[in-house]
Amino acid sequence: MKRVLTALALIPIVVWVVLGANAWVFLAVLVTVACLCYREYNDIAAGYGFGAPGVVGYGAGLLLLIWWDFPWGVMVGITVVVLGMVMRERDLAHALPRAGLLLTGVLYVFGCWKCARPLRELNPHWLMYGLLLNWVGDIGAYYIGRPFGKHKLAPRVSPKKSWEGSIASVCSSAVVGTLYLRRFLPGVPWWQAAALSVAANIAGQLGDLAESAMKRGAHVKDSGVILPGHGGLLDRVDSTLFALPVIYAYLRLV
């Protein structure tokens, strides 16, 4: 019941922020969500025993997220600075793993969320579409995978996920995603809408498994407790973080 009530409370707010709010409100929400996600990632990373990445990740991540035409040479500079800072570790065997955890978190959280801005500026329905794929895919996987799932998808990473649920997730996202694009972005050919929906869903499922693998490696069940019935915020957006770059790449290439 908590899971349903939380979803019912959040969905109208998310829809308004994406489709109706002005640019400054959207950016404020995006920054807040990204920082909350990074905080949860920070806690997961600390479970690996090399120390939490810390506040440097927030600074580098916000720079990446907010700086519109972010020059990737700056990322190289950030990498050099981070490597220089972790050399001050008492145990130098922790220096490189900690730097890796920090830079991975910056790109994983802030880098993926950065794709939300150009998608919304091109047309808010592109971002809404990316979020919708995540929601629909989760519903399809849950209601088909739970009663009918017999073949494990990735038992070492996420024992409850099945191939049946995964296929249901792809199919439901393909149908709903194609219909959504044809309704709100009719310039997209139906076959491209279907192919993009499938590709973004598969990327989202990989994102879900990636976060599960990170949590299992850190011996953590949920990324947090901020969402009653759902766990952490990162648990809810792990699929979206991998799906948005796929949609953005499609728009850049096609």
Side-chain angles (χ1 to χ4, degrees):
M1 181 57 71
K2 285 183 179 180
R3 187 183 184 93
V4 175
L5 291 176
T6 300
L8 290 175
L10 287 178
I11 288 176
I13 298 173
V14 173
V15 171
W16 174 76
V17 169
V18 173
L19 299 180
N22 65 47
W24 289 107
V25 171
F26 171 76
L27 182 59
V29 173
L30 182 63
V31 167
T32 301
V33 169
C35 287
L36 289 173
C37 287
Y38 189 81
R39 184 184 70 173
E40 294 180 1
Y41 169 84
N42 194 64
D43 292 339
I44 293 172
Y48 282 84
F50 300 109
V55 296
V56 176
Y58 289 98
L62 289 174
L63 190 65
L64 172 60
L65 182 65
I66 295 174
W67 194 341
W68 182 248
D69 295 319
F70 184 85
W72 287 99
V74 175
M75 198 67 206
V76 175
I78 291 173
T79 303
V80 172
V81 171
V82 168
L83 288 172
M85 291 179 64
V86 296
M87 286 180 188
R88 299 168 58 190
E89 292 278 337
R90 289 186 178 181
D91 187 351
L92 289 178
H94 290 184
L96 189 57
R98 188 172 180 184
L101 288 169
L102 192 157
L103 294 171
T104 297
V106 169
L107 292 174
Y108 169 57
V109 175
F110 293 99
C112 290
W113 273 128
K114 186 179 180 67
C115 296
R117 291 186 66 191
L119 289 179
R120 187 178 190 265
E121 292 199 353
L122 181 62
N123 190 312
H125 286 292
W126 276 117
L127 179 56
M128 194 70 250
Y129 161 75
L131 299 175
L132 183 65
L133 290 180
N134 178 22
W135 301 344
V136 172
D138 282 352
I139 292 171
Y142 182 81
Y143 284 104
I144 298 299
R146 184 159 185 167
F148 302 111
K150 304 297 181 185
H151 303 86
K152 300 299 182 182
L153 177 64
R156 289 185 58 216
V157 175
S158 187
K160 293 183 179 180
K161 287 183 172 58
S162 65
W163 278 103
E164 290 82 358
S166 176
I167 293 171
S169 178
V170 171
C171 292
S172 57
S173 288
V175 172
V176 175
T178 301
L179 292 175
Y180 188 91
L181 288 182
R182 294 300 296 159
R183 171 64 180 84
F184 295 104
L185 294 160
V188 181
W190 72 266
W191 63 271
Q192 288 188 18
L196 178 61
S197 298
V198 169
N201 175 275
I202 292 173
Q205 291 193 53
L206 290 174
D208 193 346
L209 291 173
E211 199 238 357
S212 295
M214 286 190 289
K215 291 189 297 183
R216 190 164 291 275
H219 306 289
V220 173
K221 183 179 184 297
D222 294 320
S223 65
V225 294
I226 194 171
L227 299 176
H230 291 264
L233 186 59
L234 199 55
D235 293 326
R236 289 300 89 212
V237 302
D238 49 7
S239 298
T240 302
L241 288 177
F242 275 37
L244 293 184
V246 171
I247 299 170
Y248 178 67
Y250 161 80
L251 291 172
R252 288 294 301 268
L253 296 173
V254 178

